Amino acid sequence: MKKLVFSGIQPTGNIHIGNYLGAIQHWVNSQDKYNNIFCVVDLHAITVPQDPKVLRAKSRELAGLLLASGIDPKKSELFIQSHIGEHCELAWILNCITPMGWMQRMTQFKEKSEKQKENVSVGLFDYPALMAADILLYQADLVPVGEDQKQHVEITRDIAQKFNSTYGETFKIPEPVIAEVGARIMGLDDPTKKMSKSETSQNHAVLLLDPPDAIRAKIMRATTDSLREIKFDENRPGIYNLLVIYELFTKKSRDEIESMYEGKGYADFKKDLAEVIIEGIRPVQEKYKEITADPAYIDSLLTKSAERLRPIAQKTLNLVKERMGIG
Ligand code: AMP
Ligand code: TRP
C-alpha cells in the first residue's frame, strides 16, 4: 500500500519560485511514490479579507498552475477545499477538543495578527484547526510543507492524539515532510525575510507567470552584498539565496557552481541566473497557456476530484460523530 500525501496551498497572492521550489516541485516529483491529494485552500484564504471575484479567479489560477507544474490528474487528486463541506464540520469538532493554550503558541498567528492588528478574525486564530481537519479527514500519512508550516502539522498530530486517546483510535497520526534544500527561499529585495506571496513590493519575488524581462529586471536588482566571491556562505544571505535558486533549477553541485563563477562578478552570475530561471519555468508557462485555453477544463477536473474525495471525508466524519455521540 502506498502512503497517502496531503498538502494544501492558499489561492492568495502570486505563486512565486519559492512556492515552486519549496513545495510544488516536491509534490510533483513524489507523485508516483505515493497516493496524493492536493487542496486549494480557499477557506484558509478567507481568514483575512479577500475580494470575492479575485479569490474565485485565483483558486482556478492556482489549480491551473499546479497542473502546469506537473501535478498529474491521473496520479493525484486536486480539489478546492470549500467544495467539500466536511472540512468545516470537522474543524468545528476539533475546535472543541483543542485547548486555547495550544493555539496561542502558533507563531504564524502571532506574526499575522501583529501585521494587521485592527482586523484579526477568529478564523485567523482558528486556522490550525481547519488545517488539522484537512489532513485528518483523509487519514493522510505524510504532509509535505515548507518549514513555516511544520508547527501546524505538529498541532495536528497533538489534536489527533488527544482525540484518539479520549474517544478511541480514529485518526491516523500524520508526519510532516520538510524538504532539506530550498525549504526556505528568501525575498530578492530582503534576503533575511522569506519570499512571500503576500508581499507586494515589485522586486520581492519572481512569480511563476512573470515574463522573461520582468525576471531579468528583478534578478539584476536583487539585494546582495559588497563582497566579491560567489560562494555558498549562509552568512551572506543575498548571494546565498541566489545560489540556492541556481542550484535548485540547474541541479548542479555546489562545488561545480562555485568553480564556474570563480573570478567572475555578481553581474555575470545574475545574468546567468535570470536565464536559468526563465528556462526553468518556461515549460510551466507554456503548459499553463495550453490548459487555460479551455476555460471549462479546470473546473470539471476540480469537480470530479471533489466527487471522488467526498465519500472518504464523510466516512471519517461519520466515525468521529459516532465516537463523540453526535448526529
Ligand atoms: P504559502 O505561500 O504560504 O501559501 O505556502 C504554500 C507552500 O509553499 C507551503 O508549503 C509553504 O511552506 C511553501 N512556501 C511558501 N513560501 C516559501 C518560500 N519562500 N520558500 C520555500 N517554500 C515556501
Ligand atoms: N497552511 C498551509 C500554508 O499556508 C496551507 C494548508 C492548508 C495546508 N491546509 C493544509 C498544508 C493541509 C498542508 C496540509 O502553506
Side-chain angles (χ1 to χ4, degrees):
M1 268 287 276
K2 285 182 181 175
K3 289 194 169 172
L4 177 64
V5 160
F6 185 101
S7 198
I9 183 162
Q10 291 201 46
T12 50
N14 295 306
I15 300 295
H16 51 67
I17 57 170
N19 298 126
Y20 181 70
L21 297 171
I24 302 171
Q25 261 204 337
H26 297 291
W27 302 349
V28 168
N29 292 337
S30 61
Q31 275 181 113
D32 287 322
K33 198 165 156 204
Y34 303 116
N35 293 320
N36 315 278
I37 306 177
F38 300 113
C39 181
V40 174
V41 293
D42 56 350
L43 297 169
H44 277 109
I46 59 166
T47 55
V48 296
Q50 302 293 340
D51 176 318
K53 274 209 198 89
V54 175
L55 178 58
R56 184 163 288 117
K58 281 278 171 193
S59 293
R60 275 71 189 173
E61 180 190 283
L62 174 57
L65 279 173
L66 292 173
L67 295 167
S69 301
I71 296 297
D72 180 347
K74 290 195 203 79
K75 297 177 185 166
S76 303
E77 297 290 3
L78 174 63
F79 77 110
I80 295 189
Q81 189 182 30
S82 63
H83 287 184
I84 301 186
E86 282 74 9
H87 289 247
C88 290
E89 212 175 328
L90 182 60
W92 172 257
I93 293 171
L94 298 179
N95 274 331
C96 297
I97 67 154
T98 305
M100 287 283 282
W102 291 7
M103 291 289 207
Q104 276 157 347
R105 286 205 293 270
M106 296 295 112
T107 53
Q108 180 181 285
F109 175 74
K110 286 187 215 164
E111 282 169 20
K112 285 195 184 175
S113 56
E114 193 54 39
K115 268 195 221 151
Q116 43 189 38
K117 277 193 180 112
E118 65 299 340
N119 216 343
V120 180
S121 69
V122 177
L124 186 66
F125 181 67
D126 197 33
Y127 184 112
L130 180 60
M131 182 156 159
D134 296 342
I135 298 166
L136 300 177
L137 267 181
Y138 303 97
Q139 309 284 7
D141 297 286
L142 303 173
V143 184
V145 283
E147 215 170 62
D148 59 314
Q149 294 298 315
K150 193 170 175 214
Q151 197 182 29
H152 290 161
V153 183
E154 275 157 7
I155 198 175
T156 299
R157 291 165 57 88
D158 293 340
I159 294 171
Q161 265 151 359
K162 179 156 187 221
F163 190 100
N164 286 353
S165 67
T166 314
Y167 298 104
E169 279 309 303
T170 305
F171 294 124
K172 191 169 262 177
I173 310 300
E175 305 266 351
V177 182
I178 315 289
E180 269 171 35
V181 185
R184 215 172 148 82
I185 301 293
M186 311 308 277
L188 300 177
D189 55 346
D190 178 358
T192 62
K193 281 205 204 121
K194 196 186 85 156
M195 188 178 281
S196 155
K197 288 195 300 196
S198 52
E199 185 61 61
T200 49
S201 86
Q202 190 59 35
N203 294 315
H204 175 73
V206 172
L207 309 182
L208 221 43
L209 290 175
D210 266 345
D213 281 344
I215 297 175
R216 290 186 189 107
K218 286 176 182 181
I219 295 298
M220 294 316 285
R221 278 183 212 130
T223 303
T224 46
D225 51 42
S226 54
L227 301 174
R228 272 159 186 272
E229 264 186 324
I230 299 177
K231 283 228 172 318
F232 283 87
D233 176 357
E234 291 192 47
N235 298 317
R236 293 162 58 197
I239 191 69
Y240 179 75
N241 187 42
L242 296 182
L243 281 163
V244 169
I245 296 170
Y246 191 102
E247 176 191 19
L248 291 170
F249 273 112
T250 60
K251 313 255 171 6
K252 288 192 161 84
S253 75
R254 293 189 169 195
D255 284 345
E256 192 180 346
I257 297 167
E258 286 178 353
S259 66
M260 280 171 68
Y261 289 99
E262 217 178 292
K264 295 206 176 152
Y266 285 173
D268 290 324
F269 169 68
K270 283 177 160 181
K271 268 191 205 126
D272 289 356
L273 174 62
E275 298 314 311
V276 158
I277 298 172
I278 291 166
E279 288 315 310
I281 64 180
R282 188 193 299 282
V284 178
Q285 297 190 345
E286 283 172 1
K287 189 91 194 288
Y288 183 77
K289 247 196 225 147
E290 247 174 67
I291 290 173
T292 49
D294 173 3
Y297 172 73
I298 292 175
D299 270 301
S300 86
L301 213 133
L302 293 169
T303 307
K304 281 185 207 141
S305 211
E307 279 164 10
R308 283 189 297 266
L309 291 172
R310 194 171 294 111
I312 305 173
Q314 280 167 344
K315 189 175 161 211
T316 306
L317 188 62
N318 286 340
L319 182 62
V320 166
K321 287 168 145 180
E322 190 188 301
R323 294 266 151 90
M324 288 190 96
I326 55 175

